[in-house]
Amino acid sequence: MTAARHAVPASTAATLVMGILNVTPDSFSDGGRFAGTDAAIAHAHRMVANGADMVDVGGESTRPGAQRVEPAEELQRVLPVVRALAQDGIKVSIDTMRASTAEACVVAGATLVNDVSGGLADRDMGAVVAATNVNYIAMHWRAHSTTMDAQDRYEDVLREVRDEIAARVESLVAAGVSADRIIVDPGLGFSKVSDTNWPLLARLNEWSGGHRVLIGASRKRFLGTVIARPGIDAADPARRDHATTAVTALAAQAGAWAVRVHDARASSDAVRVVSAWQNAFDATR
């Protein structure tokens, strides 16, 4: 955690900022910009300087329609970056659906595994997380990127996401993962194209089961749907940064454990404003 973050008053448990580091050629927003090891490491340091509390390193795009990469290719992309950042004292999360990649990166210094499949893509994930005793983010997930949009079928999105996350948590605990190590993520944009995302943001406590919550809304297309208007190219992910910052502020107010974002500075500023506001409210009531 940077010095600036320590300035947040201790009376408020501030939402953490997770910076997104895509070491990929094809991620939806910044694919290719940080595909090289040196560029990735430099960008991670910039995010931390701008307020990120941790950096989430991923070597496989999960954008809609993305094809999977081979395990060796994924590991080759992320392992040198994870190792270097951990050695530099940066808190690192590994964004992977593969148990073998997670295990290698934890050995290299990652302290958190961010699995968008919640353990469904690799049945060995629970055992690896249990053995390494790291924190684990279980995201709501129904299908791989090539077919996930077709799974946006809900009669009651709050109830179904709640039940499907609860089933994943139960399975992980049965595999030996400590329940207090599990963080849950509603999987915004994953099998949720547009309107089905908003109830999950509006009612965090109704699906989270008392677990810590990660919100990953950054630059996603459902934000573009809301902000689209004449003169605004909402199809450009970079034009969705202001909307992302609004989500960060609302998620922080709702008590989210962390937000996963591309623009660490804007979200860090938003979290600090929410903390100052809440502290003033608590002091004067």
Side-chain angles (χ1 to χ4, degrees), residues 116 138-142 154 160-161 164-165 185-187 190 192:
V116 300
M139 195 189 82
H140 177 261
W141 185 87
R142 285 184 164 182
Y154 302 90
E160 291 172 58
V161 168
E164 289 168 34
I165 285 178
D185 177 341
F190 288 78
K192 305 165 195 75

Side-chain angles (χ1 to χ4, degrees), residues 219-245:
R219 298 181 178 174
K220 289 189 175 177
R221 55 189 167 161
F222 77 95
L223 297 179
T225 300
V226 169
I227 65 171
R229 57 191 183 274
I232 298 296
D233 181 13
D236 177 3
R239 299 300 297 268
R240 305 168 189 165
D241 278 341
H242 292 170
T244 300
T245 305

